[in-house]
Amino acid sequence: MMDRIDALVHRMTIATDTGEDNAALDRFIQASHRLDTDPEERQRIHDLADLIDTQDAAYGQGLSALEHGDKAFAEPLLRSADAAGIEEAAALVAALQDLPSDAVPHSLRQRAADLTSQRLILNATNLGATAHMNTSTPQRPAQPSTLKAETTSGRRLLRLLRHRRGKNITLAEITALLLDVIDVRDPFTRAHGERVADLAALVAGELNMPRTRVEEIRFAAMFHDIGKLNIPTSILRKDEALTVEEFTCIKLHTARGPEIVQAVAEIFDAPIEKDAQRIINASLQGISHHHERYDGTGYPSGLAGQQISEHARVIAVADIFDAMTTSRSYRAPLTADQAVAEIHNLAGKHLDPRMVEAFLSVTDHDSWSEPGPSSSVPTNSGETAWQSHDDPSHPLRVAGHT
């Protein structure tokens, strides 16, 4: 029996096909249930599951080191993951061996960032939660070590799915999962998104937009920077001028964002509530185009004026305001009055004058509360980026560009 369990654990470790992975996990959990009365063998199963977590942790640390360009630290960790049968680790080890020096090229750092983003989504959704959705066995007891529920989102999903199997997935559930995915990698971006969402909703309300449109804008604003999960940390933390290649990587976060939102939404076997799906679909344009400029000089598409989605034009104002009034590694936060004056100057250039006018009306309300220093950075968290792609008062420095 234990040989069979070892084989199942190995299958779970190296499986690349989701269906095979879930089937292996199902058999593994069923075996643990049959052996539930034998403490020694039950402990053996849990030890094997913990071994998988250890191997996965080594893989994650190796990817992180590779993102930072630390070949010496990354290689032994990835070798350990390779020995455990993680296919991507083997490919990365081979690529490192082929390098002519210890310098890690951008393409390899980007590959590590992409794989890290995939792991975040996988860990947040949780293999156990996915298997729990697919199984016909009712009320399977959750064993966190066995099901690898190592993240807050994984545990939340297990609780939700135990009670909601067969029911529609709500927007609140998807929102919570996406926030957890961001929080694991970059709590600063999560807090920034939440603040931008609150302010964007106020601006949309000031324009008397329908409630449904305000909900769409709030969701898009909350996750407008989720594509940063796919940017190598070494680029986000770089305090020198970016290369043109690195700046191109930064700009790609507007394309990666909608991909991540859709990928997380699509992992549910249960259908998504109709209104939730509508909000998600409508939000994608806001996420994709929040860096377009009203005068057509933005990215990714160089859209101008009314070509830019209304969602994106609202988000842009709120995004810039929060970026300027938040503590950064390179400067203290601007006061609200300073940021408001800067936004007023950007009307018709970066920003839609109509959105700026609504924003100014919001800040004139008696109920408006100027952001304080304590709200700029989450507790026990530091800002990831040394330069901000959102802050017009300190634009990104790119080599060869003035």
Side-chain angles (χ1 to χ4, degrees):
M1 172 63 76
M2 297 317 298
D3 288 342
R4 270 191 357 190
I5 293 172
D6 283 343
L8 288 173
V9 170
H10 184 65
R11 172 71 259 172
M12 290 163 57
T13 307
I14 65 173
T16 56
D17 178 82
T18 303
E20 292 180 8
D21 218 13
N22 291 341
L25 184 59
D26 269 342
R27 295 195 300 276
F28 178 64
I29 296 171
Q30 288 165 10
S32 73
H33 290 168
R34 287 195 300 273
L35 299 171
D36 195 49
T37 56
D38 189 323
E40 182 179 346
E41 292 187 333
R42 184 173 68 247
Q43 184 59 49
R44 171 67 174 152
I45 291 172
H46 288 176
D47 288 346
L48 288 169
D50 289 341
L51 177 61
I52 294 175
D53 289 335
T54 301
Q55 293 166 342
D56 186 64
Y59 180 44
Q61 292 167 359
L63 290 178
S64 178
L66 192 56
E67 276 192 68
H68 285 83
D70 190 340
K71 178 184 176 183
F73 189 57
E75 191 163 356
L77 289 166
L78 293 173
R79 284 185 182 279
S80 174
D82 178 16
I86 299 177
E87 186 175 339
E88 286 289 355
L92 292 172
V93 168
L96 287 173
Q97 290 176 329
D98 290 340
L99 293 180
S101 68
D102 287 340
V104 179
H106 170 76
S107 59
L108 204 50
R109 295 185 187 199
Q110 182 61 62
R111 180 60 183 154
D114 290 342
L115 290 169
T116 297
S117 177
Q118 292 171 18
R119 288 182 72 254
L120 287 174
I121 295 173
L122 179 62
N123 288 340
T125 56
N126 191 289
L127 288 177
T130 305
H132 189 82
M133 282 188 286
N134 292 333
T135 183
S136 58
T137 305
Q139 296 184 345
R140 171 177 296 167
Q143 299 288 341
S145 61
T146 303
L147 299 183
K148 299 174 64 181
E150 297 301 317
T151 64
T152 300
S153 53
R155 288 190 289 272
R156 178 184 290 124
L157 268 178
L158 285 170
R159 288 196 300 269
L160 289 170
L161 294 170
R162 207 173 308 133
H163 299 294
R164 294 186 56 82
R165 186 176 176 274
K167 298 182 180 179
N168 291 350
I169 303 299
T170 68
L171 185 69
E173 291 166 1
I174 294 174
T175 298
L177 178 55
L178 284 167
L179 288 173
D180 283 343
V181 169
I182 298 172
D183 204 37
V184 170
R185 183 166 169 87
D186 189 358
F188 185 93
T189 293
R190 170 178 175 159
H192 168 65
E194 291 176 321
R195 292 192 302 269
V196 172
D198 288 342
L199 182 53
L202 289 175
V203 173
E206 186 69 23
L207 291 165
N208 294 317
M209 292 184 185
R211 179 187 59 81
T212 54
R213 177 58 58 90
V214 174
E215 290 174 346
E216 294 164 5
I217 288 173
R218 176 184 286 279
F219 184 87
M222 190 169 295
F223 301 113
H224 71 282
D225 270 347
I226 196 171
K228 285 172 60 180
L229 297 180
N230 283 73
I231 300 176
T233 308
S234 58
I235 294 178
L236 291 176
R237 289 184 179 274
K238 188 173 182 179
D239 58 356
E240 302 168 349
L242 301 174
T243 66
V244 172
E245 184 180 37
E246 289 168 339
F247 183 46
T248 299
C249 179
I250 290 278
K251 291 192 290 186
L252 281 175
H253 82 280
T254 57
R256 296 290 179 84
E259 293 174 1
I260 293 173
V261 170
Q262 288 177 303
V264 171
E266 289 171 1
I267 59 92
F268 295 97
D269 271 359
I272 297 173
E273 287 184 350
K274 186 177 179 180
D275 281 350
Q277 189 65 65
R278 172 189 55 76
I279 289 171
I280 291 169
N281 293 342
S283 75
L284 300 181
Q285 286 297 307
I287 297 172
S288 294
H289 295 291
H290 69 278
H291 276 292
E292 303 287 1
R293 293 180 177 176
Y294 197 72
D295 61 6
T297 60
Y299 63 85
S301 303
L303 302 179
Q306 303 303 306
Q307 294 176 321
I308 306 169
S309 78
E310 191 173 52
H311 301 68
R313 283 180 278 137
V314 173
I315 293 168
V317 178
D319 189 21
I320 287 175
F321 178 80
D322 188 74
M324 291 192 293
T325 55
T326 298
S327 297
R328 300 284 175 172
S329 57
Y330 51 83
R331 61 144 177 80
L334 273 62
T335 66
D337 287 343
Q338 289 172 324
V340 166
E342 183 70 25
I343 285 177
H344 188 274
N345 292 333
L346 292 174
K349 302 170 187 175
H350 289 200
L351 303 173
D352 181 344
R354 177 168 166 259
M355 305 306 171
V356 170
E357 183 179 355
F359 166 80
L360 296 176
S361 295
V362 167
T363 60
D364 280 342
H365 290 170
D366 291 338
S367 59
W368 166 253
S369 176
E370 179 176 340
S374 62
S375 66
S376 59
V377 180
T379 304
N380 299 324
S381 171
E383 180 203 357
T384 306
W386 288 69
Q387 302 186 70
S388 172
H389 59 283
D390 303 319
D391 184 358
S393 68
H394 284 76
L396 282 173
R397 290 172 286 127
V398 181
H401 291 237
T402 56

